[in-house]
Amino acid sequence: MKPFYLTQFKIAAALGLFLAFQSCVLVPGSWKNDKISSGKRDDFHTLNNGALKYLKANDPKGLVPFLSKDMIAANNERTVEQISIELKAHDYTLMDEFYVVNKSMGDDTILAKGPEITRYGLKYPYKTTEMYFAFFTPKTSDNKYMVSLIFGKFDYGWKIIKMDVQRYTMNGKTAPELFALAKDQYEKKEYQASLNNISLAIDCFKPNEYFQYPDEVDAAPFYNKVRDKVNETYHYPLILRQVSTGPMILRVYNDESDEGSYPMIYYMTHFPLKDTSAVKKENIEIRKAVGKMFPALDENNNYILYSAFNERPTGYSTVGHFDMKIKAH
């Protein structure tokens, strides 16, 4: 019987070695958020916290132990400074994270999943077999930037291979949400409002270079379509004949500030700019005319901005103007 038990022992030992080997084999795939194993996820969060500490402190030297060799060789000081400004200005939290085991040494893709208006995918180049993506956004802000940290696992540990900060939302909406609003406005013939929002959408479509929104490919053609329609519909300068004083609209565009991006209307008035009471009184009439001429321009905006001129701005010299910030609703 001894030979039988010996053989059984050998089989069990071989099976154990096989299972142990199998547990070390990396299975290609991608795991998002709570689908990442808890132990591995805890390790990633420790890694994130360490890197964010030095990023927030604008400390490129302190960040060095978290960087890959290629990143150490590159000049990252400006990127670190930009990320630091955002992390100090807002309370950032982890929005999404991905752990991936790549199939091959080439570009790979994580397909977009989830509700159509919020889904996104990732398309990224192979850097290491195992990679980790962490995307951070502010808890509260209508105009959000996304801080992205991408790690790769090297023989010397998990290191940052890419970091970035780019626009994620404007006026409380992501790129697909702004695009959907712009398309709806276009169908309603609200052309100037549509142009403003598709412009904002295009600015938000790349919160990092790996992000892939499904409808991103349609944005530029739609922008061109709306722009052509606006040029066909409105021929600037526009004299507001509905207003007794005959002011003239020179330009309508998005004006960006720390608070957000709002429609800006440049116009010429016949009143001297120093007569601010007359300019303000005329502006009340102008607002009514603008509301009819550019329907829905105030949609999704807290304010509309006006800048009154006595002479046309050229871009080559400073021209006096009187600015007004009007609550949209």
Side-chain angles (χ1 to χ4, degrees):
M1 296 296 291
K2 285 185 180 180
F4 173 77
Y5 285 116
L6 185 59
T7 302
Q8 210 172 29
F9 173 78
K10 288 180 178 179
I11 292 173
L15 182 60
L17 287 171
F18 174 75
L19 291 174
F21 174 76
Q22 285 291 92
S23 67
C24 297
V25 172
L26 295 173
V27 179
S30 64
W31 296 265
K32 181 180 178 181
N33 297 338
D34 58 2
K35 301 300 181 184
I36 303 171
S37 66
S38 59
K40 191 175 288 293
R41 199 179 186 196
D42 289 343
D43 291 342
F44 287 144
H45 291 179
T46 299
L47 199 61
N48 287 337
N49 292 337
L52 289 171
K53 171 185 173 182
Y54 293 106
L55 284 166
K56 186 173 183 177
N58 191 19
D59 184 357
K61 291 183 179 178
L63 189 65
V64 166
F66 294 87
L67 302 179
S68 69
K69 292 176 181 178
D70 286 345
M71 287 289 284
I72 293 173
N75 184 0
N76 300 299
E77 290 188 3
R78 179 57 180 155
T79 303
V80 172
E81 180 184 20
Q82 290 173 323
I83 293 175
S84 174
I85 290 170
E86 276 301 308
L87 293 178
K88 288 175 180 176
H90 301 285
D91 186 10
Y92 272 73
T93 186
L94 182 63
M95 183 188 85
D96 282 328
E97 58 186 332
F98 295 83
Y99 166 61
V100 301
V101 177
N102 293 307
K103 296 188 293 289
S104 59
M105 297 178 65
D107 286 359
D108 211 338
T109 301
I110 298 175
L111 297 178
K113 296 178 181 179
E116 184 174 353
I117 201 68
T118 58
R119 61 182 176 154
Y120 68 91
L122 299 175
K123 185 175 182 180
Y124 56 93
Y126 175 94
K127 294 294 184 179
T128 59
T129 300
E130 293 179 80
M131 295 173 67
Y132 170 68
F133 301 77
F135 305 134
F136 303 86
T137 54
K139 289 181 179 179
T140 57
S141 177
D142 283 344
N143 309 297
K144 296 181 180 181
Y145 280 80
M146 176 181 288
V147 171
S148 301
L149 298 180
I150 292 88
F151 295 83
K153 187 177 182 181
F154 297 87
D155 56 6
Y156 52 94
W158 282 96
K159 303 295 179 181
I160 295 173
I161 55 179
K162 182 72 177 178
M163 55 186 176
D164 204 357
V165 55
Q166 296 293 339
R167 190 179 301 288
Y168 176 57
T169 68
M170 284 299 293
N171 298 336
K173 294 185 183 295
T174 62
E177 290 169 332
L178 288 163
F179 192 8
L181 176 60
K183 287 188 287 187
D184 181 62
Q185 290 171 328
Y186 184 85
E187 291 300 315
K188 294 176 181 176
K189 300 183 179 180
E190 300 163 350
Y191 300 128
Q192 185 65 58
S194 177
L195 181 62
N196 283 25
N197 282 309
I198 186 59
S199 299
L200 294 180
I202 288 173
D203 287 344
C204 296
F205 263 118
K206 280 297 180 191
N208 64 63
E209 66 180 83
Y210 304 143
F211 243 63
Q212 296 280 310
Y213 284 117
D215 51 0
E216 180 183 354
V217 294
D218 301 322
F222 182 77
Y223 170 85
N224 293 333
K225 175 183 174 181
V226 180
R227 181 195 57 195
D228 291 347
K229 194 65 178 180
V230 167
N231 291 337
E232 175 189 316
T233 306
Y234 304 106
H235 302 282
Y236 296 106
L238 283 168
I239 297 176
L240 292 179
R241 303 191 187 280
Q242 311 94 311
V243 180
S244 59
T245 51
M248 184 168 63
I249 293 181
L250 303 174
R251 183 185 178 198
V252 179
Y253 70 102
N254 287 324
D255 185 72
E256 187 177 332
S257 68
D258 291 339
E259 294 181 59
S261 181
Y262 307 122
M264 166 65 86
I265 298 174
Y266 275 16
Y267 70 95
M268 289 183 66
T269 176
H270 297 294
F271 291 105
L273 296 183
K274 62 183 179 181
D275 189 354
T276 56
S277 61
V279 174
K280 289 178 180 179
K281 184 177 179 180
E282 179 192 47
N283 183 260
I284 294 173
E285 286 190 68
I286 291 173
R287 285 180 240 161
K288 295 176 182 177
V290 163
K292 293 178 181 178
M293 182 172 288
F294 305 115
L297 193 63
D298 62 349
E299 189 173 337
N300 195 48
N301 289 296
N302 293 326
Y303 298 95
I304 295 184
L305 311 177
Y306 291 87
S307 195
F309 296 82
N310 283 151
E311 56 180 302
R312 188 177 297 190
T314 63
Y316 299 104
S317 59
T318 302
V319 177
H321 53 92
F322 180 71
D323 298 333
M324 289 159 280
K325 182 179 179 180
I326 309 300
K327 196 159 184 63
H329 303 288

